[in-house]
Amino acid sequence: MVAIPQDLPGSPEYASRLRYAWRVCSVTSLGLVLIGISGSTLNVALPEVVRHFRADAFASGWILLSFLLVNTATLVFFGRVADLLGRREVYLAGFALFTAASLLAGLSPNVWFLIAMRAVQAVGAAMILANGTVIITDAFPPDRLSQGMGVYIGTLSVAQLAGPTLGGLVADTAGWQWIFWVNVPAGLIALVWGAFTLRKVARGPRKPVDALGNLIVFAALSAALVALSEAGSRGLGSPAVIAGAAVTAVLVPVLIVVERRAAHPVLDVRLFGERMLAFANLASFCNALARAALILLVALYFQAARGVDAVTAALGVLPVPIGMALASPIAGALGRRISPYALSVGGSLLSASGLGVLMLNTAPATPYWVIGVGLFLCGCGSGTFLTGNTTQVMKALPAGSLGVVNGFRLMVMNVGIVLSVALTLSVLTSAVSPALRAQVYAGTLSRMSPVAVEQLMNGFQKTYGMLFAVALAGALLAALARSRRPRRPESGAGSR
């Protein structure tokens, strides 16, 4: 007698699994909202924080980069730790740590304490991000995964939609401390709801964590970011730039050698030997590189070049998250009829077209509707690409490697995010004299001479041109990421 699978559409078991999956989606979406709002509020309110601490250009950049660096370097680590200690436990611990660090960040006595608290926030965020996608992938039936992923990615759009406006309002009314303190009640709600909703799962086999690999990744990224941030401030001939580039060049081949010999490497490149996974992850890297600094860049444009306040700048960047908020769930719904591959390619091309519009229209007097169209296209492209690319990769992975490989996927994307912020700030500020670079971060350059503003416009054009070229490369890589093997079969209920 042939056994009939119980998890078929229409069966009670399938309906029960789907109900639980949507509750899980609400938990993971809260995590993405928490992290997304935290980042997008600071992108707009950064000038207010810089002015409060009277930070120089180097410290101003590291208020953002410290979070991105630590988050990127620990994503794979916490993917492995969750396999050992339990995904639910690590995920909830991430909420607790992020919330506590947010509280302390608002109490910062100086800019370097704030930077340190941003690094602690990043550890909590890594614990959340490394596990959220895996938890969703395991909870949803394969035929509904694109819908769940669309909603999950769409919540990031909602966070980025609310974040800039919230950041602008908070910076202008309540004070910079509340940029961080607004995370505290949201973090507590997410922690309680997650503890109530998520089911405990069996721990995975005890395998050693690749501590040396994690350390080398952190050191290489730190050296690269120091070189990039100093290149914009002091030029390519600066000793810090040369030293940072040299350390990075030495550590990258060392990392490859160490990871090939490690029993359980943090960067297991063998898992990405298949053509689709390799190109899909490279496309994700390029999309992140072209996308991540856009809201920050446009917020600086409105404040430093047009001289508007934080609230007006926040309203000006809204077409990006609006585009993402509309495109992500639509792409998720279309995912049942259109392949994730097609969504990924189409989203990449939309992003490139939006950056092309911005590249060709960089001037203080550019009509806002032109800028808005470019930003909206970028948002739609990012929402479509992220939904398609994430679904494409997660469906192709063997169930037993979801935790580590998802951490690797996120780390590849986050390296793009880190480099996006560092490169964008470096290229942008290199267009003005060293004495004026702090004025760009503080949003006060428009009060200087018209010549300084014109120099900054050249910096914006170069920066948009760089991001446009990267977006085109991402579209090409997404087109090359066509799968040649069948989809991943449905995992069992106990997989993590």
Side-chain angles (χ1 to χ4, degrees), residues 110-168:
N110 57 63
V111 69
W112 290 106
F113 184 89
L114 174 62
I115 290 171
M117 288 303 99
R118 290 282 290 159
V120 178
Q121 272 188 320
V123 174
M127 298 168 80
I128 295 169
L129 291 173
N131 295 290
T133 308
V134 181
I135 291 172
I136 277 211
T137 301
D138 186 59
F140 273 91
D143 66 312
R144 293 296 188 97
L145 178 59
S146 64
Q147 285 183 302
M149 204 63 72
V151 172
Y152 177 61
I153 299 298
T155 56
L156 177 61
S157 311
V158 173
Q160 291 180 330
L161 180 63
T165 305
L166 182 63

Side-chain angles (χ1 to χ4, degrees), residues 304-328:
R306 294 197 173 191
V308 305
D309 58 29
V311 175
T312 305
L315 295 174
V317 303
L318 286 183
V320 177
I322 288 174
M324 288 188 70
L326 291 174
S328 297

Side-chain angles (χ1 to χ4, degrees), residues 54-249:
R54 298 179 182 177
D56 58 21
F58 184 78
S60 300
W62 278 91
I63 294 173
L64 300 173
L65 292 176
S66 59
F67 181 94
L68 296 172
L69 169 64
V70 175
N71 185 252
T72 299
T74 55
L75 275 169
V76 175
F77 174 79
F78 284 114
R80 173 66 73 192
V81 169
D83 286 335
L84 301 176
L85 302 181
R87 199 160 305 284
R88 175 183 182 273
E89 289 73 16
V90 171
Y91 190 77
L92 295 178
F95 279 128
L97 187 60
F98 188 91
T99 303
S102 298
L103 177 64
L104 293 174
L107 299 171
S108 297
N110 57 63
V111 69
W112 290 106
F113 184 89
L114 174 62
I115 290 171
M117 288 303 99
R118 290 282 290 159
V120 178
Q121 272 188 320
V123 174
M127 298 168 80
I128 295 169
L129 291 173
N131 295 290
T133 308
V134 181
I135 291 172
I136 277 211
T137 301
D138 186 59
F140 273 91
D143 66 312
R144 293 296 188 97
L145 178 59
S146 64
Q147 285 183 302
M149 204 63 72
V151 172
Y152 177 61
I153 299 298
T155 56
L156 177 61
S157 311
V158 173
Q160 291 180 330
L161 180 63
T165 305
L166 182 63
L169 288 171
V170 167
D172 268 9
T173 57
W176 68 269
Q177 295 91 339
W178 285 95
I179 296 167
F180 302 100
W181 287 343
V182 293
N183 298 324
V184 176
L188 292 175
I189 291 170
L191 179 61
V192 172
W193 178 235
F196 177 78
T197 301
L198 297 178
R199 299 170 182 168
K200 291 185 177 182
V201 295
R203 297 177 183 180
R206 291 192 172 274
K207 298 177 182 178
V209 174
D210 182 15
L212 181 58
N214 278 280
L215 182 62
I216 296 174
V217 167
F218 181 80
L221 279 174
S222 298
L225 288 181
V226 168
L228 286 171
S229 58
E230 286 292 276
S233 300
R234 303 185 183 182
L236 295 176
S238 166
V241 174
I242 295 173
V247 170
T248 304

Side-chain angles (χ1 to χ4, degrees), residues 383-457:
T384 303
F385 172 84
L386 286 171
T387 300
N389 178 264
T390 304
T391 305
Q392 185 182 16
V393 171
M394 297 306 287
K395 279 188 173 182
L397 297 178
S401 65
L402 283 179
V404 174
V405 179
N406 180 62
F408 183 96
R409 180 189 70 84
L410 287 171
M411 194 174 79
V412 168
M413 185 168 64
N414 267 34
V415 169
I417 292 173
V418 172
L419 294 179
S420 177
V421 174
L423 277 173
T424 293
L425 294 178
S426 182
V427 173
L428 176 64
T429 57
S430 66
V432 299
S433 65
L436 296 176
R437 284 166 189 162
Q439 304 298 322
V440 177
Y441 290 108
T444 56
L445 189 68
S446 61
R447 303 172 190 171
M448 311 298 289
S449 68
V451 175
V453 174
E454 187 61 33
Q455 290 174 344
L456 187 61
M457 290 304 98

Side-chain angles (χ1 to χ4, degrees), residues 43 160 281-298 320 324 347-359 374-375 377-383 385-386 412-425 460 462-477:
N43 280 341
Q160 291 180 330
N281 278 278
L282 288 172
S284 178
F285 170 81
C286 287
N287 181 267
L289 185 58
R291 175 193 79 243
L294 184 59
I295 288 180
L296 171 65
L297 183 63
V298 178
V320 177
M324 288 188 70
S348 298
L349 292 173
L350 272 177
S351 294
S353 65
L355 287 166
V357 171
L358 295 172
M359 177 183 66
L375 295 176
L377 288 174
C378 289
C380 288
S382 294
F385 172 84
L386 286 171
V412 168
M413 185 168 64
N414 267 34
V415 169
I417 292 173
V418 172
L419 294 179
S420 177
V421 174
L423 277 173
T424 293
L425 294 178
F460 276 109
K462 290 178 181 178
T463 306
Y464 283 129
M466 174 192 70
L467 298 179
F468 173 69
V470 171
L472 284 180
L476 175 61
L477 291 165

